[in-house]
Amino acid sequence: MNRIGVDYISLIGISPLGMIAAAADAGCHNISLILTRPDYNPDGYPWFSLIDDAALRRETVTCLRDRDVSIALVDGFAVYPGQPTENHRQAFEILAELGVRRVNTVSFDEDWSRMIDKTAEIVAMAREYDVTVTIESCPMLTVKTLAQALEVISAVNLPNFKLLIDTMHITRSGESGDIARLDPMLIDYVQISDGPLSVPDPLNYMNEAMNERMVPGTGEMPLVEMIRAMRRDIIVSIEVPMRSLKEAGMSETERVRLAVEGARKVVAAAEA
């Protein structure tokens, strides 16, 4: 079960050291991070920046080693309208120091042609650093569906560009059954959560995604079938923010453990 990881949205805003500790205490060896604390920070965690703070990077590397945890993915390499790709250069420069070989991209630029060009620039830049880029579809963003993500991958046509499967988004776009028809080597990372099959309105969708997902195996999504259709060496990382349990007094580690236990059961059923 070394496949199980913890994605940063599960504890959004927490410091890298806090994220490592919560994952390790739950028996996980993989995490995803964002390099700078996001502006959305509902729990009021202190500001941090792994890009600007060399001392924090050194402390993070030490903590990763001591707790036997690795950074499986760094998020935040997004395409924004008007933002030069070169803005990501400094972030790419520090990835090797942190032992990172995979980053994720999404797009907030609705100009399809420009989005593909900018995404290609990010993937080409990542290749300079021997880093794989994954692309994530989300019904609320520019690349809304798995089919569109595949279209972008085909257009960019670089070998270090792969798919990230978010089980919530893929299920909500009605494409969970399409996973089994994909080239198994195209999928490089999985974010797992659960929930109802019904698609909420756009405002509630993003609130659910960022604040209140369900423990894997407790909702209606076909998680076992999706995981069964993928290679067995892919990291399956919980992306399960549970604000209601946080507000009820459940600790970070307890919330992570709850979601990890659910993910382990789903993966075990898929591998049976």
Side-chain angles (χ1 to χ4, degrees):
M1 281 299 176
N2 285 345
R3 296 176 65 185
I4 307 298
V6 183
D7 257 57
Y8 80 97
I9 285 180
S10 297
L11 299 172
I12 192 163
I14 197 170
S15 74
L17 304 180
M19 188 70 176
I20 295 165
D25 289 346
C28 292
H29 299 280
N30 308 290
I31 59 171
S32 85
L33 289 180
I34 194 164
L35 295 178
T36 300
R37 197 209 70 196
D39 292 335
Y40 182 65
N41 181 36
D43 294 329
Y45 289 112
W47 178 260
F48 70 83
S49 174
L50 284 164
I51 297 174
D52 299 326
D53 190 339
L56 178 59
R57 292 200 300 273
R58 290 191 295 270
E59 193 173 1
T60 297
V61 170
T62 298
C63 190
L64 288 166
R65 182 188 65 236
D66 291 348
R67 300 304 304 268
D68 191 21
V69 173
S70 63
I71 304 172
L73 176 141
V74 167
D75 218 328
F77 288 75
V79 174
Y80 292 96
Q83 176 178 291
T85 304
E86 195 64 25
N87 285 7
H88 292 300
R89 175 75 65 180
Q90 189 177 10
F92 275 116
E93 292 283 354
I94 69 167
L95 293 181
E97 183 179 347
L98 296 168
V100 177
R101 287 292 176 263
R102 183 187 294 109
V103 301
N104 188 48
T105 188
V106 296
S107 178
F108 297 90
D109 190 341
E110 295 294 338
D111 185 308
W112 188 259
S113 177
R114 184 173 61 203
M115 177 274 295
I116 288 179
D117 289 344
K118 290 295 184 183
T119 300
E121 290 174 5
I122 290 173
V123 178
M125 184 181 292
R127 199 175 183 190
E128 298 175 33
Y129 297 92
D130 194 24
V131 168
T132 295
V133 179
T134 58
I135 185 169
E136 175 182 2
S137 63
C138 171
M140 299 299 108
L141 300 178
T142 305
V143 181
K144 302 181 185 305
T145 65
L146 174 60
Q148 287 182 330
L150 293 172
E151 182 181 339
V152 178
I153 289 174
S154 177
V156 170
N157 193 29
L158 287 171
N160 63 318
F161 196 25
K162 306 289 184 178
L163 272 174
L164 182 151
I165 298 293
D166 182 309
T167 60
M168 174 182 174
H169 301 325
I170 296 298
T171 300
R172 293 283 176 74
S173 63
E175 298 169 297
S176 61
D178 295 339
I179 293 173
R181 293 187 284 274
L182 297 176
D183 176 353
M185 299 308 296
L186 194 59
I187 302 172
D188 205 56
Y189 193 85
V190 179
Q191 294 169 333
I192 190 170
S193 64
D194 215 333
L197 293 177
S198 59
V199 181
D201 66 73
L203 289 178
N204 285 336
Y205 191 110
M206 293 310 293
N207 178 63
E208 177 189 20
M210 300 300 291
N211 293 301
E212 199 66 47
R213 303 196 195 193
M214 293 176 66
V215 170
T218 64
E220 300 175 338
M221 297 183 179
L223 301 182
V224 172
E225 291 80 359
M226 284 192 276
I227 300 301
R228 184 175 289 148
M230 303 178 205
R231 303 190 326 269
R232 291 194 173 194
D233 61 340
I234 294 174
I235 291 171
V236 179
S237 193
I238 63 161
E239 190 170 58
V240 189
M242 294 181 282
R243 177 147 305 282
S244 60
L245 293 184
K246 188 268 179 188
E247 292 172 348
M250 185 178 284
S251 71
E252 293 150 351
T253 297
E254 289 173 321
R255 300 196 308 275
V256 167
R257 280 177 173 161
L258 182 64
V260 165
E261 181 180 352
R264 284 186 173 134
K265 290 178 180 177
V266 169
V267 171
E271 293 182 344

